[in-house]
Amino acid sequence: MSLFDWFANRRKSGPISEDRQEREIADGLWTKCEHCDVLTYTKDLRTNQWVCSDCGHHHRIFSDERIRQLIDANTWQPLDTHIQPQDPLKFKDRKGYGDRLRDTQAKTKLTDAVQTGLGELDGLPVALGVMDFRFMGGSMGSVVGEKLTRMIERGTATNRPVIIVCASGGARMQEGMLSLMQMAKISGALQQHQAAKLLYMPVLTHPTTGGVTASFAMLGDIILAEPKATIGFAGRRVVEQTLREKLPDNFQTAEYLREHGFVDSIVPRTQLKQTLAQLIRLHQPVAAPAAVENHTPWTNGLNAAEPTHIGVDL
């Protein structure tokens, strides 16, 4: 028997089907790190909150996973899920805006680029908004602005700290001026929240750019960011052409912004929930001491019946 016949008989007797190969190596069983190319068992990567255990690279995650990581189990109460985006300008580029919305909603199972709700973070009540980059690049349209504004107002009314996890390419051009108006609306709600002496903390993730950076992303009492997140307003090339000078390699990174005072702290994702809980506890108002019955006012040893003068008579 020739070598050719031997291989031909082997193929006939034991063919390996595609289904068999798929069963042996299941799709999604392993995940390759975008930064160091190390293969990691996906289940272990999810346990480590999608942070590479070899190089510390933070894989991009979306709103459902972020809520699961930050909010205690069985405490999440979604807000305003019924609000739907509209197409008031009848905008059309390569595809009509209305068609683009329907396609993106079907693909992501989201109504728009943000999820908002109330819940508990390590036992502490919070109001949380999480932007989702899958939905048209996390762009800020009318629905994003309305949902974030209502969530902030609900947090103010219930004396909860507000947390917004930002991930956005900026304002949504398909809604024109209506999109830009959301910057002022959300900022106004945050001003009322601050007037009530309540805490607001944005968490800047990769990427946070455009009108989101120019508004509520930079209005926090404490601004946190994930490592190596891209944070900026205009693109790097636009800034270089405007300034006519070469920018540093780490320009518009979380580390660069921390060095220049725009970000207070860079927090790895695996420590984010613990850090947020600690900051909330540190900024909770101190309870007034309980009144003591039959308490005699302190008079520094003087006769309480006589007037007491403190200070120097001029």
Side-chain angles (χ1 to χ4, degrees):
M1 179 184 294
S2 67
L3 186 62
F4 177 82
D5 293 333
W6 184 84
F7 276 109
N9 292 334
R10 183 177 176 86
R11 282 197 298 268
K12 291 179 182 178
S13 60
I16 301 176
S17 66
E18 294 181 0
D19 293 339
R20 181 179 173 184
Q21 289 180 338
E22 289 180 359
R23 286 195 298 269
E24 291 176 353
I25 305 175
D27 186 31
L29 186 63
W30 298 87
T31 301
K32 185 177 181 180
C33 178
E34 302 170 357
H35 186 262
C36 68
D37 293 335
V38 168
L39 282 173
T40 306
Y41 190 39
T42 302
K43 193 172 183 179
D44 293 339
L45 190 61
R46 185 180 292 110
T47 301
N48 202 40
Q49 300 189 13
W50 295 95
V51 177
C52 178
S53 56
D54 277 59
C55 68
H57 173 70
H58 286 52
H59 291 256
R60 182 176 291 176
I61 60 174
F62 303 109
S63 55
D64 291 329
E65 178 68 17
R66 186 76 67 173
I67 292 168
R68 187 189 68 81
Q69 291 179 4
L70 293 179
I71 298 298
D72 300 343
N74 302 319
T75 66
W76 179 245
Q77 305 171 35
L79 295 176
D80 304 310
T81 56
H82 63 284
I83 301 179
Q84 294 284 341
Q86 302 295 323
D87 184 15
L89 305 180
K90 306 302 178 185
F91 190 94
K92 184 176 182 179
D93 44 78
R94 288 180 296 178
K95 181 189 291 188
Y97 180 43
D99 296 333
R100 194 180 297 276
L101 284 172
R102 285 187 289 271
D103 292 346
T104 308
Q105 287 175 338
K107 182 178 179 180
T108 63
K109 309 302 180 185
L110 299 171
T111 56
D112 213 286
V114 71
Q115 290 195 61
T116 59
L118 306 178
E120 293 185 3
L121 187 151
D122 199 22
L124 301 166
V126 297
L128 176 68
V130 182
M131 305 190 74
D132 199 309
F133 198 79
R134 291 176 299 174
F135 199 102
M136 298 183 67
S139 52
M140 178 179 59
S142 300
V143 171
V144 171
E146 183 67 18
K147 290 184 70 171
L148 286 176
T149 299
R150 292 189 184 193
M151 181 270 295
I152 295 166
E153 291 175 344
R154 185 73 66 88
T156 304
T158 57
N159 294 316
R160 294 171 181 253
V162 167
I163 300 169
I164 300 179
V165 181
C166 305
S168 175
R172 187 173 298 173
M173 68 173 189
Q174 290 89 345
E175 296 188 16
M177 184 59 69
L178 297 174
S179 176
L180 297 178
M181 290 170 59
Q182 309 310 312
M183 299 167 62
K185 183 166 69 174
I186 299 171
S187 300
L190 287 173
Q191 175 61 33
Q192 294 179 341
H193 190 75
Q194 183 185 35
K197 302 186 183 302
L198 295 170
L199 182 65
Y200 165 53
M201 292 184 290
V203 180
L204 313 185
T205 68
H206 177 78
T208 299
T209 58
V212 170
T213 304
S215 57
F216 60 88
M218 289 295 175
L219 293 178
D221 300 301
I222 301 172
I223 302 176
L224 306 178
E226 285 192 339
K228 295 182 171 55
T230 298
I231 304 165
F233 178 62
R236 180 189 182 93
R237 184 173 60 183
V238 173
V239 176
E240 286 184 334
Q241 291 175 350
T242 303
L243 298 179
R244 296 182 180 179
E245 62 180 54
K246 184 68 176 177
L247 297 172
D249 292 336
N250 65 341
F251 181 70
Q252 291 187 332
T253 64
E255 289 73 15
Y256 183 89
L257 267 66
R258 182 182 60 180
E259 292 174 5
H260 292 78
F262 287 91
V263 168
D264 294 305
S265 182
I266 296 175
V267 183
R269 189 179 297 159
T270 52
Q271 302 174 18
L272 182 59
K273 183 174 182 177
Q274 177 185 356
T275 301
L276 289 170
Q278 184 178 12
L279 289 171
I280 292 171
R281 289 189 175 96
L282 286 172
H283 287 80
Q284 284 183 332
V286 179
V292 180
E293 296 182 0
N294 300 324
H295 175 67
T296 303
W298 179 77
T299 59
N300 198 23
L302 301 176
N303 188 350
E306 298 178 357
T308 302
H309 300 280
I310 301 177
V312 179
D313 292 332
L314 299 177

